[in-house]
Amino acid sequence: MNSSPSHRSSVVVAELGPTNTGKTHRAIERMLEHETGIIGLPLRLLAREVYDRVTARVGDGRVALMTGEEKRVPARPDYWICTVEAMPTDRPVDFLAVDEIQLAAHRERGHVFTDRLLHARGLKETWFLGAETMRPMVQSLIPQASLKRATRLSQLRYAGHRSLKSLPPRSAVVAFSADRVYELAEALRRLRGGVAVVLGALSPRTRNAQVAMYQAGEVQYLVATDAIGMGLNLDLNHVAFAALSKFDGTEPRELFSDELAQIAGRAGRHLNDGSFATLNTLPELSPRVVSAIESHRFPAVRSLIWRNASLDFSSPESLLDSLSQAPRHNAFVRVERADDFDALRHLSSVPAIRDVATDRARVELLWQVCQVPDFRKGLFGLHVSLLRETFLQLTAGDGKLESGWLSRQVSPLDDVSGDIHTLMDRLAAIRIWTYISHRPGWLHEAEAWQERTRRIEDALGDALHERLVERFVQRAARRSARRFVRNTAQPAAGSDSPFAKLGLLLGEVAGTDGAALTEEQFVQRVVDATHDAFQVDASGIISFEGEPLARLVRGKDRRSPQVALVESEVWTGGARRQLERRLVALARDLVTEAMGGFPAESFAGADRSGAARGLAYRLAEGLGVISQAEAREQWRLLDEEARERFRTLGVREGQRFLYVAEALTPHALERRCMLMALLHQRPSPPGVPGEPVLEVAALEGRDARAFGYEVLGGVALRIDVAERLGEALRQPQGGRQVHALMQELRLEGGLHRRILRELGGPAAGAPAKRRRRRRGARPSAPAAVPGGAKGPPAHAGGPRSPRKAGDGGGSSGA
């Protein structure tokens, strides 16, 4: 991403329209057509949902997740899924998108969205997604933008009054305070047996578990705040409002019609129509509001919240003045209040801080400290006191927070006892320390503190989910959060079944307190695990921490293996859904490994030439390897820039193949053979892919190339070896290398010559003529191979067959 005008993208698109138009889906698809991209989303829960969707397409290894407190960053990510505030503004990417851009008018968060609208750009393409009400603002501020009108895929209809008892299944009830949400959830539990709860104050882990429970059909009702209004794809048919006003951070006020529409629009996803209503404790909506919601027509946004981005860090007073600067454009309104500004104003008046904040670096640090969010939303003075101590410690001694002080703050939060409100208070507090632990350079042993705060937050989130289930879901409505001890007969001791231990899995895995993990805890452990935590064998069995968890099964082709959980009835629906989603992402990683990491999706865009798209498609179909005959015409049609792009992605022009270099490594070939075994539903031929040369009969009539081999001279030669030979034959002095390879492969002279002949060796055309020699004469030296190297000696007893699969002998050099 780049905010410099000289580097702004050549294409800016604003796709505006109501909910359920597929805007976010199209942006994701477009991002994947580029080689790199960032998408900024308004909620952490939505960011996690999009992250799961993208990793299911391209695998975990290419995607980073970045929110205020949750960071999953692989070694070399191509795509970044972020909350808008957490978007890495200094990272150049081809594609950039910001969702729900109408939040630029939000009283507290709006200035961040406005900044992204004005400055955030992809190198090639930028998309802004949001409500139609933003059209005049976008036209005024970005006149070169291409504006598109998105239309809703389904109808939204008003259903009048509803009682809780008359709500249809797959309904959400929306309130605007935690107490009211719990009250409604308790009432629905008594009426319907179970309900899921979603609030903005819940941790991502807790909200994910609650949403998964609802999405899996374990409960049919959801009670939520307006946190569900920002793009979450929930299986909702109906939305019922339990309130029509909320406290907006300053004062209670009635909701605007477009805010009601944003929430009501969660009902009816894709082509399914939806409905909305008010509970019968409220008055009916006015015909004017109903008409506006049903027809998606609302007053245009006329001003955006703005904050000066050119800050003066020469002193705290100068920083306050620059933050207070009025906008010069009549489309902007300076942000009225923000927690970070209020914190800065308070801290700037503290003598101890004024004495320290005397240079630019210290003032910048003070501003960073002020931006630590107050998740507790309690007494502001308590939060300011915490920020004061944090800043003074960071400007004293070695410039790090004292470990003892940190421990005294964090340790009391490591407690999963208490009721729902107590756990939520602790969760809010630990989220502050999770945020601080990720600030670069603030802590000694930062990774250890990140792990500790994450572990505490996870434990609190799991405990909170359990309390919510215990309180709002009747046991008859849901198989409760259980230990992983099967009620059926346990497997006999000594069983050789690969799944023999599954029935005892969670009973054997201890949590941090030594107790067995609950289902939710174990599932989250799997969801959070990195790629290295899984083991996948040649038959596609996926193990986690040494125990079989699932298996890969045949898909429509070898690039689309599916995942089947081992004995899936062991898991509740929500757990099953989360596990399958994580393992599908793992399966995509395995396919990517087989392709040598080639990002075929990035060539799918309409702006790519037909030859580039076709070649990328063929490379993907061939798992990173295609014959020169297949590739030649499309390669010829590419311009030099496109060819260079393929080369930078590892594509090499061999003598017989166009291939991705990493696709011919031993690991990639093993993954290739595993995928072929799944497709054929039979094991790979013996010796594949370890043996560099096989008898053709060993392939059992199967396609040699599909397993990474090429039939040459009557034998199957592994493609990487064939390319090494071909490359050596291209070199003027490559004969010695050819000779060494042939000796390593232990091929007899006839096979040697036939292989070289098929590879186009310059001196391998015809066998040397036999020379008659006198009885007792010494045999002449072996015939030379191209480049002057001598061929292998003839073996007594006639031609020797190539090594069979499984024979001894080193092959590591091949």
Side-chain angles (χ1 to χ4, degrees), residues 1 38 66 80 82-92 96:
M1 185 165 61
I38 291 175
M66 179 92 58
W80 293 74
C82 315
T83 50
V84 173
E85 286 84 350
M87 294 172 73
T89 56
D90 57 348
R91 178 170 293 272
L96 181 140

Side-chain angles (χ1 to χ4, degrees), residues 178-191:
D179 289 343
R180 182 60 171 148
V181 166
Y182 295 144
E183 178 187 337
L184 291 163
E186 179 63 28
L188 270 173
R189 182 194 67 80
R190 293 195 299 267
L191 289 169

Side-chain angles (χ1 to χ4, degrees), residues 256-278:
F256 301 123
S257 57
D258 58 333
E259 293 175 313
L260 292 170
Q262 185 74 30
I263 300 167
R266 295 302 110 197
R269 306 308 297 160
H270 194 51
L271 300 179
N272 299 320
D273 292 343
S275 59
F276 65 100
T278 55

Side-chain angles (χ1 to χ4, degrees), residues 19-22 49 152-155 231-237 262 264-274:
T19 57
N20 192 28
T21 58
E49 178 187 324
R152 187 175 167 91
L153 300 174
S154 63
Q155 296 296 314
L232 294 183
N233 290 306
L234 298 170
D235 181 20
L236 287 174
N237 295 331
Q262 185 74 30
R266 295 302 110 197
R269 306 308 297 160
H270 194 51
L271 300 179
N272 299 320
D273 292 343

Side-chain angles (χ1 to χ4, degrees), residues 481-510:
R482 307 155 300 165
R483 310 292 179 183
F484 274 72
V485 179
R486 300 285 301 283
N487 294 324
T488 56
Q490 296 180 2
S495 170
D496 59 358
S497 165
F499 310 130
K501 290 187 177 181
L502 179 65
L504 301 174
L505 183 55
L506 269 198
E508 296 177 351
V509 180

Side-chain angles (χ1 to χ4, degrees), residues 15-26:
E15 187 159 352
L16 307 175
T19 57
N20 192 28
T21 58
K23 298 186 296 290
T24 306
H25 170 76
R26 286 189 291 276

Side-chain angles (χ1 to χ4, degrees), residues 512-534:
T512 56
D513 58 357
L517 293 177
T518 63
E519 177 183 85
E520 283 83 4
Q521 289 172 328
F522 180 79
V523 168
Q524 197 63 45
R525 194 164 168 168
V526 175
V527 169
D528 290 340
T530 61
H531 183 80
D532 295 338
F534 300 91

Side-chain angles (χ1 to χ4, degrees), residues 98-118:
V98 180
D99 199 10
E100 306 293 359
I101 194 62
Q102 75 275 4
L103 286 178
H106 189 274
R107 182 176 297 183
E108 294 184 34
R109 300 178 66 195
H111 65 91
V112 179
F113 286 78
T114 300
D115 179 80
R116 303 295 184 258
L117 181 68
L118 295 176

